[in-house]
Amino acid sequence: MTNRKILISSESVTEGHPDKMCDIISDSLLDEALRQDKYSRVAIETSTKNGGVMVFGEMTTKGYIDIPRIVRDAIKDIGYTEASFGIEWETCSVWVQITAQSPDISQGVSEGEGLHKKQGAGDQGMMYGYACNETKELMPLPIILAHKLTKKLSDSRKNGVINYLRPDGKSQVSIEYGKNGKPLRADTIVVSTQHEGAISHERIKKDVIEQIIKPVCKDWVDKNTIFHVNPTGAFVRGGPYADAGLTGRKIIVDTYGGVGRHGGGAFSGKDPTKVDRSAAYASRYIAKNIVAAGIADKCEIQLAYAIGVSEPVSVNIDCFGTNKISIEKIQDLVNEFFPLTPHEIINHLNLRRPIFKKTASYGHFGRNDPDFTWEKIDKADLIKKEAGLNK
């Protein structure tokens, strides 16, 4: 018999982290394309280092996208308003390398075209959705707390509560779980934040613990919780000056913090014909409704697609032994009541809208926002009734 602690850790980053900055820029460009033409095809990557930003990829749209302006506005909104912060929105260089979508891909995702005629997936791949009942958001506790820490860090900077903070920052939360799989306490909390150079480490640590960590994590902190605040001792140089950024390098931050699996495809900069994004949202929608219905305490859905083919090539469900009815019955409910083809997913979740910039930071899941249609639990009562659990 062992008394080993069961610890699960998840991290989050602020919108000023170089990788997140690139996600935000990519989704800002996507939103502008969808705002002008809801059928825009977009697959945009962004990279940044020092005072430069490169935007590259594919875009087919009827609109006119002023790319440098949108890039600069996104950088300004994040808070990079002085070169000393790591980049400056007005003077940074913006290099653009964008071409139209490949016609071979286009015919596979256009209704009535291609080999199979129906709107197919924009690429092959597998996507995962996950939900569990350990938080009201039906998300794993470590990633929810990590996101709330970085969001509060950013809010405290923007509203001047801690006026020496700068845009770049990170958090990490390690939660101790009991043998029943339920969270018990916060074991270790890490917050690293960029700051003005003249501020002492002692002041930063005190302010972050009292104004950021304790308000967010108060229900989980005890006398033995370990706090690490700027554990190198200083974090003055940040943003693209300190570290290169690239779209899609924070996919575990974007999803379930390492608790649920990830198929590998990034979300940001991709229009909803790309199943990397839309099917990941659909699989979260399915998993969340299954857990909300009480059919299982945990649920993970895998969807897999072939490029140009509308129906998924596989649907796999894993409830980790917590299911109240058979997996076969759950599979039948999923097939009957949930959207699974790209066309059905896009229409059911209403994804041809300029809503994606705000998904790019603080997680794509577990958010209470009406635009996050994949977070609705509107199928829960129906599938609970069909499963026979409300008798």
Side-chain angles (χ1 to χ4, degrees):
M1 180 72 74
T2 178
N3 292 320
R4 180 181 66 86
K5 287 182 181 180
I6 301 171
L7 297 175
I8 297 178
S9 302
S10 295
E11 71 162 342
S12 179
V13 297
T14 66
E15 64 224 63
H17 184 283
D19 292 332
K20 269 289 143 230
M21 172 182 158
C22 291
D23 289 340
I24 291 167
I25 291 170
S26 294
D27 272 337
S28 296
L29 292 165
L30 169 63
D31 277 358
E32 184 60 25
L34 292 174
R35 187 174 290 111
Q36 298 187 39
D37 174 10
K38 68 179 183 178
Y39 295 103
S40 296
R41 301 280 173 77
V42 181
I44 296 296
E45 313 288 342
T46 303
S47 63
T48 182
K49 178 60 181 167
N50 294 335
V53 175
M54 181 171 73
V55 179
F56 54 101
E58 298 80 49
M59 181 186 298
T60 299
T61 181
K62 294 178 180 178
Y64 169 73
I65 314 303
D66 187 346
I67 293 172
R69 177 186 63 79
I70 292 166
V71 170
R72 294 182 191 282
D73 286 349
I75 295 170
K76 181 183 180 182
D77 288 345
I78 290 167
Y80 282 116
T81 55
E82 296 183 25
S84 61
F85 295 175
I87 195 169
E88 198 274 328
W89 72 282
E90 283 187 301
T91 59
C92 68
S93 62
V94 180
W95 181 32
V96 180
Q97 290 289 317
I98 295 177
T99 61
Q101 183 183 48
S102 161
D104 298 335
I105 296 174
S106 177
Q107 69 177 357
V109 294
S110 298
E111 194 77 19
E113 298 182 21
L115 188 63
H116 297 279
K117 303 306 177 187
K118 290 184 178 180
Q119 179 181 340
D123 202 352
Q124 69 177 45
M126 60 281 187
M127 300 81 210
Y128 285 93
Y130 181 82
C132 60
N133 63 5
E134 64 188 62
T135 63
K136 65 181 177 61
E137 297 89 353
L138 302 186
M139 287 282 286
L141 180 62
I143 190 65
I144 285 293
L145 291 180
H147 283 320
K148 288 181 177 180
L149 286 170
T150 50
K151 183 65 166 62
K152 191 165 185 65
L153 199 63
S154 181
D155 290 345
S156 297
R157 169 179 61 88
K158 291 179 176 180
N159 60 29
V161 170
I162 308 179
N163 61 10
Y164 55 79
L165 298 181
R166 298 295 181 254
D168 202 351
K170 306 175 95 170
S171 71
Q172 184 170 283
V173 178
S174 300
I175 295 295
E176 181 180 350
Y177 283 77
K179 293 180 180 178
N180 61 356
K182 301 298 182 182
L184 299 175
R185 55 181 293 275
D187 185 84
T188 305
I189 298 172
V190 184
V191 174
S192 296
T193 179
Q194 186 186 10
H195 59 88
E196 183 183 324
I199 310 301
S200 70
H201 180 261
E202 290 73 20
R203 180 181 174 188
I204 296 168
K205 183 173 182 179
K206 179 179 183 296
D207 287 348
V208 168
I209 290 173
E210 295 302 322
Q211 298 189 53
I212 306 295
I213 295 176
K214 287 185 176 179
V216 169
C217 302
K218 58 182 181 294
D219 294 336
W220 302 99
V221 168
D222 60 26
K223 64 180 182 180
N224 295 315
T225 300
I226 299 167
F227 301 129
H228 291 297
V229 177
N230 284 9
T232 69
F235 188 175
V236 175
R237 179 177 291 190
Y241 186 37
D243 189 14
L246 182 65
T247 299
R249 283 206 300 204
K250 288 292 178 283
I251 58 176
I252 302 303
V253 172
D254 288 341
T255 52
Y256 308 104
V259 175
R261 284 176 281 191
H262 194 294
F267 303 155
S268 291
K270 296 177 181 177
D271 76 81
T273 66
K274 280 71 174 176
V275 285
D276 275 342
R277 181 166 225 156
S278 54
Y281 291 173
S283 56
R284 161 65 177 172
Y285 175 61
I286 297 167
K288 187 175 183 181
N289 275 271
I290 288 171
V291 172
I295 291 174
D297 296 336
K298 300 178 183 180
C299 182
E300 184 177 75
I301 305 289
Q302 185 207 57
L303 302 176
Y305 294 84
I307 187 169
V309 179
S310 61
E311 296 290 339
V313 298
S314 68
V315 179
N316 187 58
I317 302 168
D318 189 352
C319 295
F320 309 94
T322 68
N323 44 301
K324 312 301 189 295
I325 61 175
S326 70
I327 293 293
E328 289 76 16
K329 177 61 176 175
I330 297 174
Q331 179 76 69
D332 290 341
L333 292 171
V334 169
N335 290 336
E336 183 174 358
F337 294 111
F338 290 95
L340 295 176
T341 69
H343 180 78
E344 291 170 344
I345 291 168
I346 290 168
N347 288 343
H348 187 86
L349 299 181
N350 193 16
L351 296 180
R352 293 193 189 275
R353 295 174 295 141
I355 60 170
F356 297 107
K357 179 184 177 182
K358 58 185 172 181
T359 70
S361 49
Y362 312 115
H364 292 245
F365 308 123
R367 306 269 293 276
N368 183 22
D369 186 309
D371 284 332
F372 287 50
T373 50
W374 49 94
E375 290 297 310
K376 291 182 178 180
I377 51 172
D378 53 343
K379 299 281 190 181
D381 289 341
L382 174 62
I383 61 174
K384 182 177 181 179
K385 178 181 178 181
E386 291 293 322
L389 295 183
N390 58 352
K391 293 180 180 179

